Amino acid sequence: MSFSWLKSYMPRSLYGRAALILVFPVVSLQLIVSIVFIQRHYEDVTEQMTRSIVRELTHLVEMVEGAPPGRALAAGESVAAPLDFDIALPVDPPLSGDLRRFGDLSGRAMIATLRSDLPSIIAIDVTRNRRVFLWIDTARGVLEVEFSRRRVSASNPHQLLVIMIVLGAFMTLVSAVFLRNQLRPINRLAAAASAYGRGRVTKYAPSGAAEVRAAGNAFLDMRARIERQIQQRTMMLSGVSHDLRTPLTRLKLGLSMVDEDDAKPLLRDVAEMQQMLDAYLDFARGTTEGEREKIHPRQLLEELAQDAERAGRTVTLGSVEGEGEIKINGLAVRRALQNLIANAARHGSTVRLSLSITERAARFTVEDNGPGIPEEDREEALRPFSRLDPARNQDRGGGVGLGLAIAADVARSHGGMLRLGDSQDLGGLRADLVIAR
Ligand SMILES: Nc1ncnc2c1ncn2[C@@H]1O[C@H](COP(=O)(O)OP(=O)(O)O)[C@@H](O)[C@H]1O
Ligand SMILES: [Mg+2]
């Protein structure tokens, strides 16, 4: 049997689930205990009380029957008064049988006991307001007896129920407060982890229950290790790039003294090597450089378009939707978008930039009219150092395969993503850089 359908009815939050786990057994326990206990208790007590009344009734009937015919009522009353019975004799027997209200559990127990212990009873009526009426067949005619219901029924059994429900509700409330306090450290851990996923190192100290603390410490260890690795990667790559730059500069200087025709291809190689080093450095820096700042995306887009124009590229501005500032690492996002624009300009002749700002995200779109990237190659294109079909863009001064990887890295560190698709209007690649707000 599968309970998967139950899932859709389950609360989604840990708080809701824990509350359910807590409340469900408490409520069922209360229900079962109240039903079983109250019914049993109620019926047992009623039965015992009824038995003692039966003894008094038997005595009353004996007195009535033992008296001479004319004095039966007086004899009965002499017993009835001290026993707190109201009697009448003789009366017409009622036509209806036993009367009781539906759900009157103690009434049922009482009638059953009276009937079995006092066979001469003709009828019993327990429907009247807190009074019991019964008619007994005696040798002096039908005797009507009336007495208080309280003498045969346990009073206020629902008090127990009320206490249980009120106390249960109160206890649940108290545990809800405690539960909430237990959940706070989990929420704090989740917030710290999600902030780190977006590239922000927030202050976090493990707290709460042992398991949560353990998870928190594990998270801190992991974060420190990742930070260390990033730092080492940055240091190594920038060290290598930096150290190579000096001999390269010397080489360039040396080549400038050689005969121009011989030096030309060599100089091109040196320039290319320098470009590669720059790309490595960019990748190594990743998103560790630069500060988070408030930026108008619209303004950023216009600046990028102007920069590209100055570099001799044709860039048009497409649709710009939405308003508002975003808080981003301006340096990193600028670098990511520059990479996308450079790619588009290399593979196509027209580049279009557009922007869409919504409540939750800002989306920068770079489109071109080049050949695009087939769907099955898009994942590969995002990987560092991957160049698709290097022969294809050799003559266009291909990079080292880091442009898209850097852009994707930057998007991820801003809680977003880089999406590659087809440009509907231009026919080439469409790159969406999505950044969470
Ligand atoms: N706008 C584009 N149109 C067609 N192909 C592209 C485009 N942008 C990137 N590519 C392909 O994706 C590969 C990876 O791009 P990228 O990471 O920027 O590396 P690089 O530009 O250094 O080659 C490129 O080699 C190219 O084949
Ligand atoms: Mg590139």
Side-chain angles (χ1 to χ4, degrees), residues 318-363:
S319 67
V320 177
E321 291 159 18
E323 267 301 334
E325 286 186 326
I326 48 175
K327 200 172 178 195
I328 52 171
N329 180 342
L331 202 71
V333 171
R334 207 176 288 260
R335 192 181 296 149
L337 286 170
Q338 274 164 357
N339 286 342
L340 295 179
I341 294 170
N343 279 353
R346 185 183 308 149
H347 295 278
S349 54
T350 310
V351 181
R352 193 169 72 181
L353 300 180
S354 22
L355 169 68
S356 155
I357 308 169
T358 64
E359 192 104 337
R360 312 196 54 196
R363 190 186 66 208

Side-chain angles (χ1 to χ4, degrees), residues 104-250:
D104 185 354
L105 293 175
S106 69
R108 191 180 62 187
M110 184 177 93
I111 290 173
T113 312
L114 281 171
R115 281 261 172 219
S116 73
D117 290 9
L118 207 63
S120 55
I121 286 180
I122 298 171
I124 307 167
D125 183 356
V126 293
T127 59
R128 303 203 207 169
N129 190 24
R130 294 196 189 161
R131 305 290 287 174
V132 178
F133 286 80
L134 42 89
W135 293 269
I136 306 168
D137 191 20
T138 69
R140 304 283 176 259
V142 174
L143 171 69
E144 185 189 270
V145 187
E146 180 194 343
F147 53 87
S148 164
R149 176 74 190 260
R150 297 187 55 149
R151 294 177 64 182
V152 281
S153 287
S155 59
N156 288 338
H158 62 277
Q159 258 177 10
L160 180 78
L161 258 186
V162 171
I163 288 173
M164 258 173 78
I165 288 171
V166 168
L167 216 64
F170 177 69
M171 289 305 196
T172 310
L173 215 76
V174 169
S175 28
V177 172
F178 277 106
L179 198 62
R180 179 146 286 195
N181 283 337
Q182 289 304 307
L183 289 181
R184 202 166 293 143
I186 300 181
N187 287 334
R188 286 200 17 241
L189 174 57
S194 116
Y196 189 57
R198 291 164 179 230
R200 248 172 305 151
V201 177
T202 54
K203 229 162 92 184
Y204 170 75
S207 63
E211 291 86 348
V212 183
R213 246 170 226 274
N217 280 319
F219 164 70
L220 284 181
D221 284 350
M222 190 180 76
R223 187 167 81 176
R225 202 170 64 93
I226 295 174
E227 287 291 298
R228 223 168 26 240
Q229 253 171 18
I230 292 176
Q231 222 175 15
Q232 280 169 0
R233 180 184 82 168
T234 314
M235 270 162 58
M236 192 192 89
L237 258 173
S238 58
V240 168
S241 308
H242 191 264
D243 289 354
L244 284 177
R245 214 183 273 242
T246 325
L248 264 185
T249 314
R250 270 205 303 270

